[in-house]
């Protein structure tokens, strides 16, 4: 699931929740945001958008979309250029960040303040643990680059 889909789902959930709880102003704003998110991509690719904004603006927008895809490809190439040990450390960091995120969400959903503080404490510790492999990976990359420059 990509970030745009997750954002769309979160906005939809919040809009439904606000309508159910009677927060009509907030619900209306969120509904407009969800609708905008859902209808944006089809609109951008329509002839109406070209008529409203002109061909130059639409060409520039398409170029930004291509640039975003190129950035994702570049990030993938960068990840693949890492040595197996560097990739393993990077994966370990990402797993620990994922675990920390889960604890932060638990803290957010906690009913009692004490439970929230405990969950925040665990999340903080997970973030601290994620620093060590990240620093090790950074050192390994720096050392490898220095060795490559000396060769």
């Amino acid at each position: 699931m990509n970030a745009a889909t997750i954002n769309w789902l979160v906005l939809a959930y919040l809009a439904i929740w606000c309508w159910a709880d009677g927060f009509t102003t907030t619900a209306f704003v969120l509904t407009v945001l969800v609708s905008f998110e859902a209808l944006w991509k089809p609109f951008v690719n329509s002839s109406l958008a070209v008529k409203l904004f002109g061909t130059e603006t639409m060409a520039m927008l398409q170029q930004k979309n291509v640039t975003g895809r190129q950035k994702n490809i570049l990030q993938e190439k960068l990840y693949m250029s890492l040595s197996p040990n560097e990739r393993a450390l990077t994966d370990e960091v990402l797993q620990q960040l994922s675990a920390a995120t889960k604890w932060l969400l638990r803290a957010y959903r906690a009913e009692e303040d004490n439970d929230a503080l405990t969950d925040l404490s665990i999340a903080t510790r997970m973030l601290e643990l994620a620093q060590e492999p990240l620093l090790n990976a950074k050192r390994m990359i720096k050392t490898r680059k220095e060795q490559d420059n000396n060769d």
Side-chain angles (χ1 to χ4, degrees), residues 7-53:
N7 287 344
W8 189 87
L9 291 173
V10 168
L11 286 173
Y13 171 78
L14 289 173
I16 292 167
W17 180 78
C18 286
W19 282 116
D21 270 3
F23 299 109
T24 54
T25 305
T26 305
F28 176 75
V29 170
L30 288 172
T31 302
V32 170
L33 285 172
V34 169
S35 301
F36 183 77
E37 181 75 26
L39 299 174
W40 177 249
K41 193 169 186 176
F43 171 73
V44 168
N45 296 327
S46 71
S47 60
L48 176 62
V50 175
K51 289 177 185 175
L52 288 174
F53 298 114

Side-chain angles (χ1 to χ4, degrees), residues 132-143:
E132 185 179 339
L134 183 63
L135 293 173
N136 289 340
K138 184 178 176 182
R139 274 189 230 107
M140 289 174 75
I141 293 168
K142 184 178 178 182
T143 303

Side-chain angles (χ1 to χ4, degrees), residues 102-123:
K102 289 177 185 174
W103 282 103
L104 287 171
L105 289 173
R106 258 185 81 157
Y108 177 73
R109 294 184 193 125
E111 302 268 331
E112 300 289 325
D113 289 344
N114 193 32
D115 294 340
L117 288 173
T118 301
D119 294 340
L120 285 173
S121 175
I122 293 170

Side-chain angles (χ1 to χ4, degrees), residues 39-116:
L39 299 174
W40 177 249
K41 193 169 186 176
F43 171 73
V44 168
N45 296 327
S46 71
S47 60
L48 176 62
V50 175
K51 289 177 185 175
L52 288 174
F53 298 114
T55 54
E56 290 179 15
T57 304
M58 297 311 293
M60 190 174 20
L61 186 61
Q62 292 299 330
Q63 180 61 35
K64 286 184 180 181
N65 287 341
V66 170
T67 304
R69 277 185 245 123
Q70 289 171 343
K71 182 180 175 185
N72 290 341
I73 291 169
L74 183 61
Q75 287 173 342
E76 183 66 26
K77 285 182 181 179
L78 176 63
Y79 179 78
M80 295 309 291
S81 71
L82 297 175
S83 72
N85 290 338
E86 294 163 352
R87 265 190 244 145
L89 288 170
T90 304
D91 290 340
E92 182 181 342
V93 169
L94 292 174
Q95 288 173 350
Q96 289 176 343
L97 290 175
S98 176
T101 302
K102 289 177 185 174
W103 282 103
L104 287 171
L105 289 173
R106 258 185 81 157
Y108 177 73
R109 294 184 193 125
E111 302 268 331
E112 300 289 325
D113 289 344
N114 193 32
D115 294 340

